[in-house]
Amino acid sequence: MSERREPSRASITRRLIAALTGTVVVFWLIAVGIGVYVVNKELSETFDGALQETAERLLPLVLDDLANRDNSGDPQSLEELNKGLNREYLTYQVLDANGKVILHSHDAPATAYDVPLKIGFHNTPRYRIYTESSADGTIFLHVADAFKNRREASRESGVALLWPLLALIPASIIAIGIVVGRSLRPIDRLRSQIATKDSGNMMPLESETLPRELQPIARSVNLLLERLRLALEAEREFTANSAHELRTPIAGALAQTQRLIAELPPGQLTERAGRIETSLSNLGRLAEKLLQLSRAQAGIGTGDKPIDLIAVIETVIGDYDRDTGTAGRVQLENDAKEKLIRNVDIDAFAIVMRNLIENALIHGPVDDEVTVRIEAGTVRIINGGTVLSHEELAGLKRRFWRGKTKAAGSGLGLSIVERIVDQIGGRIDLMSPATDRTDGFEARITLPAG
């Protein structure tokens, strides 16, 4: 089965930069289009004015030139005079009253333009032509401007307007990115403040320095934090009070049951009393775990002054050595070259070690040794046993989840350990099989840097 892919989530900053840059580019293109339209209109008027002025200035020269020529009757061409000249932007033809070409410029065709002999502007598929005539109406002058010249001028003006867009796009991205980044900085600060909130930090957010648009969000979060704080305090108080109040009657009932077992003759009643003793012992351990959970939820992990964690570990192992049921089963291997000095609460770290060692003793093979190995920045608790699956490892940290085991327990130990280790800035990793082994279980505590 293929894994379900999470939808990509673009950041608000990127979306704003893309949207604003796109908007600027679109408006720039619209402005370029309007500019090209206006430039074309102005160019057309300019070209038409130049065309008319050229015709009006050229006609007297043509009439004067014709008056000084002999009347041989042969059409005159300016090709010889114009040889070697550059390409002409304006061409002209001089015609008589019958439309016969008398003179023409170098690039003008020898045949007359297909326009009427009438003063004014005329168009052909290729030319814009202005026609001028002599006073007696016997000589006509066509001055033509090719449309390709006008299109070239229009194209060059459009390109000139578009060139700045190539520099505008990256400049806009940088400028908009800076502006958007500064504008969204209060949101980042608000997000960072919210990210620090957990069961150990329910202090209200600082909303006075936030922009007006974000203050309602901060107020809503503060109201939610207050409700969560009250709910968590009520839960912790109930858990702690219940566990504390249960310890005394459980201890009394357990003592009475043990006395009853001692007084009863062997038989079914003794067996029943023994089962009652086991149940009361489990209930006592559950009450103790609930008290530890309540303290862990109250955030007892961090200490006010640095302590040597190796000394705490040795003390906890010493308690197990003094117990006849576990004496000699917990082995300490200290590979650290220096002390593990950290700002950690002594009782909190002792709770962590007791829970991990207790789990290793209960769930490992009977009479098998449990190894506590201290290395640079890590503490490893290793025990034997069958290899656990990934699904079982993933569920071990859940509350009241005990996995596939018949051993006594509450399913709270690893949840308590994870909560305290998180509070001190460390990490708890569960591995099966244990490191450098083909079986067993390992709980590794990675401590924060000292």
Side-chain angles (χ1 to χ4, degrees), residues 62-381:
V62 170
L63 294 176
D64 184 67
D65 183 67
L66 290 176
N68 293 329
R69 291 176 182 273
D70 57 354
N71 295 325
S72 62
D74 296 331
Q76 300 294 319
S77 172
L78 299 180
E79 291 184 7
E80 295 296 330
L81 296 174
N82 292 329
K83 281 184 179 179
L85 297 178
N86 295 329
R87 180 172 64 91
E88 297 173 335
Y89 284 93
L90 296 179
T91 58
Y92 67 87
Q93 292 177 342
V94 180
L95 303 89
D96 58 16
N98 296 323
K100 181 180 179 181
V101 177
I102 302 173
L103 294 172
H104 65 84
S105 63
H106 178 266
D107 289 342
T111 59
Y113 293 119
D114 186 17
V115 293
L117 298 177
K118 183 179 179 181
I119 297 175
F121 289 98
H122 310 284
N123 290 334
T124 68
R126 296 179 58 189
Y127 297 99
R128 174 78 166 168
I129 300 172
Y130 183 79
T131 303
E132 186 65 52
S133 70
S134 61
D136 57 3
T138 59
I139 299 299
F140 290 89
L141 174 64
H142 291 325
V143 180
D145 180 17
F147 282 122
K148 67 177 182 179
N149 296 331
R150 300 191 177 201
R151 287 194 293 268
E152 182 180 358
S154 176
R155 184 170 57 253
E156 290 179 354
S157 63
V159 171
L161 291 174
L162 283 173
W163 269 113
L165 186 62
L166 298 178
L168 176 69
I169 293 176
S172 297
I173 293 175
I174 296 173
I176 292 173
I178 294 173
V179 173
V180 170
R182 291 180 177 178
S183 301
L184 295 182
R185 200 168 294 166
I187 298 179
D188 289 335
R189 289 199 301 267
L190 179 61
R191 177 179 56 82
S192 300
Q193 290 185 44
I194 295 175
T196 61
K197 303 304 175 183
D198 55 19
S199 59
N201 180 13
M202 289 290 179
M203 296 297 294
L205 302 174
E206 297 180 4
S207 59
E208 292 78 8
T209 59
L210 293 175
R212 182 177 57 189
E213 294 81 2
L214 297 179
Q215 289 182 356
I217 298 177
R219 285 195 295 268
S220 299
V221 173
N222 286 337
L223 290 175
L224 178 60
L225 288 174
E226 180 64 19
R227 293 173 62 184
L228 286 174
R229 185 182 64 80
L230 294 176
L232 287 174
E233 287 181 356
E235 178 187 356
R236 292 168 184 168
E237 185 177 356
F238 174 76
T239 303
N241 290 339
S242 299
H244 180 74
E245 294 298 328
L246 285 173
R247 291 175 69 183
T248 301
I250 290 173
L254 181 60
Q256 294 295 327
T257 303
Q258 292 172 345
R259 182 176 179 180
L260 180 62
I261 293 173
E263 294 177 355
L264 286 175
Q268 293 183 351
L269 292 179
T270 305
E271 294 177 0
R272 291 181 182 178
R275 288 193 290 270
I276 294 173
E277 180 188 16
T278 302
S279 298
L280 289 173
S281 297
N282 293 337
L283 186 58
R285 283 193 292 270
L286 176 59
E288 183 64 29
K289 295 297 181 184
L290 289 175
L291 277 174
Q292 293 180 1
L293 178 63
S294 176
R295 296 184 64 191
Q297 289 178 333
I300 65 170
T302 305
D304 297 331
K305 57 183 179 179
I307 62 168
D308 183 11
L309 300 184
I310 296 178
V312 178
I313 295 173
E314 291 174 345
T315 300
V316 173
I317 294 177
D319 292 339
Y320 283 100
D321 287 338
R322 285 188 290 271
D323 189 334
T324 56
T326 57
R329 288 189 59 189
V330 184
Q331 302 298 320
L332 176 63
E333 297 181 2
N334 188 359
D335 296 333
K337 297 181 180 180
E338 55 186 13
K339 294 182 179 181
L340 288 179
I341 305 297
R342 299 292 187 275
N343 286 341
V344 179
D345 183 80
I346 295 178
D347 291 338
F349 192 73
I351 290 173
V352 169
M353 294 306 303
R354 283 195 180 93
N355 277 285
L356 293 177
I357 294 174
E358 180 182 343
N359 280 349
L361 291 171
I362 292 176
H363 299 291
V366 179
D367 296 332
D368 192 14
E369 291 184 350
V370 173
T371 302
V372 179
R373 183 169 299 160
I374 303 174
E375 299 175 352
T378 61
V379 179
R380 300 165 55 195
I381 295 87

